[in-house]
Amino acid sequence: MLTVIVRSKRDADALRNMIKNYRSDWGIEVETLKGKRGTDVIDAVKELVSDNKFYLVLLGREEADVIKELSDSTPPNVIVHGIRKKRIRNTRLSELNWELEVAKSQPRLWIEWSGDTPFIAKKYVRGEPGTDVFLGWGLWWKTLGLGEPSHKGFLVKKSADGVHTVIAGGRAVALTEITDNRIPQTVLLGEVRGFELKEFANLSRNVIRSFVRGTAKLFEGCEKAIVPWSGGKDSTAALLIAKEYCDEVEAIYVDTGVDMGLNKYYIEKIANEMNVNYEVVRAPVKENIMELGFPSRDNRWCTGLKIKALEDAIKRRGKVKVVVGDRDAESISRSRRWFEREWEGVAEVLAPLKLWSGAMVLAYLLSENVLPNPLYALGFYRLGCYVCPFLRAYERKLLREVRAAKIGADEDLLNQFLGRHEGYDLGM
C-alpha cells in the first residue's frame, strides 16, 4: 500500500532503522534510487512507481533543486517530501520519524483555486500533522458567524490548537476558535465568498480518482468485506471504495438507541441507492444510561458496548476483511496505525482513507453522486449519538435549537443531557 523511496542504500538503512524503532508493526517497503542525483532522480522515480499504491519520496536538502519539479511531474499517488537535513542518513531517528509524519500529511493541504472555487490539486507543500481541510455549508455559515445559511460551501483549514482559518480565493478571510465548551469565536478578516460544492468536486476529480486507484494494492484478493457504517462521510467513502475492489460487500450499522435520527434515515436511503446490504445491530447504550449515567470523556463505557456488538456481528460472518474510514487527520493515535492491521480474534482491518483530508472525502462522495449526511448541512462536525460526551458546545446548541437535529430523539433524555452542559455552554 505504501512504499518509501530514498536516494541511496545508506539512506535506506537509516530509514529501516527508524521503522524498526518507531513503526515496527508497519509493513512498509523501502526502495532506493541507486544513488542517482539531480535530474536523474526524476527518471529513476518514474521507473519505480505504479498507480495501484502510494509512494513517499524522501529526499535530503542536497536534492532541494529537483524536489518541486519531481513533485510536479509525478502523479498524485506519489508524495514528494524534502527533509530539513542535508541527507536522510544524517537525520536522527526521532526526527526522521517526524518527517515521515509530515510527509504523510502533505496531501491534506493540496488546495488550488479557480476563481472563488477551491479544488484539490497536487502541489508541493510542507505538511502539518494535526491539520485538516474541511468544507462548511448550510447552517455552518451561521454557526461560525460568517453569514446567513447557504447551500454554498466555504473552506476551513483546521488546526490542532483549535484556531481554524477560513480561506477564500487562496487568502485567509476569517479566524475562528472552536473549543469544547464555548460557542465559536470568529474574527472576520475579509469577505467570505461561497462556492458550489459540485463544482469543487468536479474540479477535484482527477486527484480523487488517483487516490482511489492508489488503494488497489491494499484490496488485492478481497473476496468479502464488512464496512462498519456510521452514516458519516468517512465510513460512507470507505463503503464506496470497498464496493469498487471487493467481490462482496456488506455494511453493519450499530444502533445505540440514542443515535441521531437522521443517521438512520440517511443509511436507509443511501443503502437503497447504492444497492448495499446492511445489518442493524443493537448496542444497549440507552438501556444502560439509567444505571451507569451518561457516558463521559473519562468513562466512555458506551464504546465497549458498541465494539462488542460490532465484533459479534463480524465474527458471525467468518473470514472477512473489515474496511474502515480511519484518517490520519483525526488523531495522533490513528496516524500511527498502518493501512492494514489485525483486529485480534476478529478480522484483518483495511484503512484506505488514511492520507485523505475531510475535503477529499467530500469531493469523492459528490463526484460519485452520493449526497453527504444532512447532519453536516445542519452544522454538525461529529455524527453519532445525541448524548455523546465529545459533542462540542455549538453542536449541543444545534440540538437545543434545530428541530431536524432532534428527529427520533428521546426528548426527556436529550433534555437531561443538555441540562448537564447548559451552564458551560452559556458561559455561566
Side-chain angles (χ1 to χ4, degrees), residues 231-382:
K233 65 184 186 307
D234 298 335
S235 61
T236 304
L239 181 59
L240 273 175
I241 293 177
K243 278 179 61 64
E244 186 160 336
Y245 289 116
C246 298
D247 297 335
E248 183 182 348
V249 178
E250 185 181 3
I252 297 175
Y253 174 62
V254 179
D255 181 5
T256 64
V258 285
D259 288 35
M260 295 179 184
L262 284 177
N263 267 348
K264 299 176 184 179
Y265 161 80
Y266 177 77
I267 281 183
E268 182 177 356
K269 178 179 185 297
I270 299 302
N272 288 334
E273 292 177 358
M274 291 172 55
N275 192 28
V276 171
N277 292 325
Y278 74 99
E279 179 187 3
V280 178
V281 298
R282 187 65 187 270
V285 174
K286 182 178 181 181
E287 293 83 346
N288 278 275
I289 287 176
M290 290 300 293
E291 178 182 351
L292 301 175
F294 289 106
S296 67
R297 294 187 176 215
D298 296 328
N299 185 16
R300 292 174 287 172
W301 55 263
C302 53
T303 301
L305 294 178
K306 289 188 285 186
I307 292 175
K308 177 67 164 56
L310 182 60
E311 279 185 351
D312 291 345
I314 293 170
K315 288 177 179 178
R316 290 198 301 270
R317 286 159 171 80
K319 187 176 181 180
V320 297
K321 294 184 183 294
V322 177
V323 183
V324 297
D326 289 8
R327 294 188 297 112
D328 281 359
E330 293 176 290
S331 68
I332 292 175
S333 61
R334 291 192 177 187
S335 74
R336 290 174 178 165
R337 295 175 184 167
W338 188 233
F339 292 88
E340 49 189 323
R341 64 182 189 274
E342 193 67 29
W343 187 351
E344 190 173 352
V346 181
E348 182 184 1
V349 178
L350 309 180
L353 301 176
K354 281 180 61 62
L355 302 180
W356 296 43
S357 67
M360 283 178 166
V361 174
L362 187 64
Y364 177 44
L365 296 182
L366 292 173
S367 66
E368 297 295 324
N369 296 313
V370 176
L371 292 177
N373 194 309
L375 286 165
Y376 291 120
L378 293 181
F380 286 90
Y381 184 81
R382 177 178 288 104

Side-chain angles (χ1 to χ4, degrees), residues 24 64 117 153 172 176 207 210 319 388:
S24 59
T117 304
T176 183
V207 170
S210 178
K319 187 176 181 180
C388 180

Side-chain angles (χ1 to χ4, degrees), residues 33 39 62 76 98 105 140 144 146 177 181 183 234 322 364:
L33 301 176
T39 55
E62 278 187 326
W98 174 252
S105 66
W140 272 103
L144 297 187
L146 303 176
E177 183 180 25
N181 289 315
I183 300 303
D234 298 335
V322 177
Y364 177 44

Side-chain angles (χ1 to χ4, degrees), residues 198-224:
K198 191 66 175 178
E199 184 181 1
F200 157 77
N202 290 338
L203 291 171
S204 303
R205 184 172 176 81
N206 287 342
V207 170
I208 297 303
R209 287 309 307 171
S210 178
F211 265 56
V212 173
R213 289 192 298 272
T215 66
K217 190 77 173 175
L218 184 66
F219 285 94
E220 279 187 348
C222 179
E223 296 179 0
K224 184 172 183 179

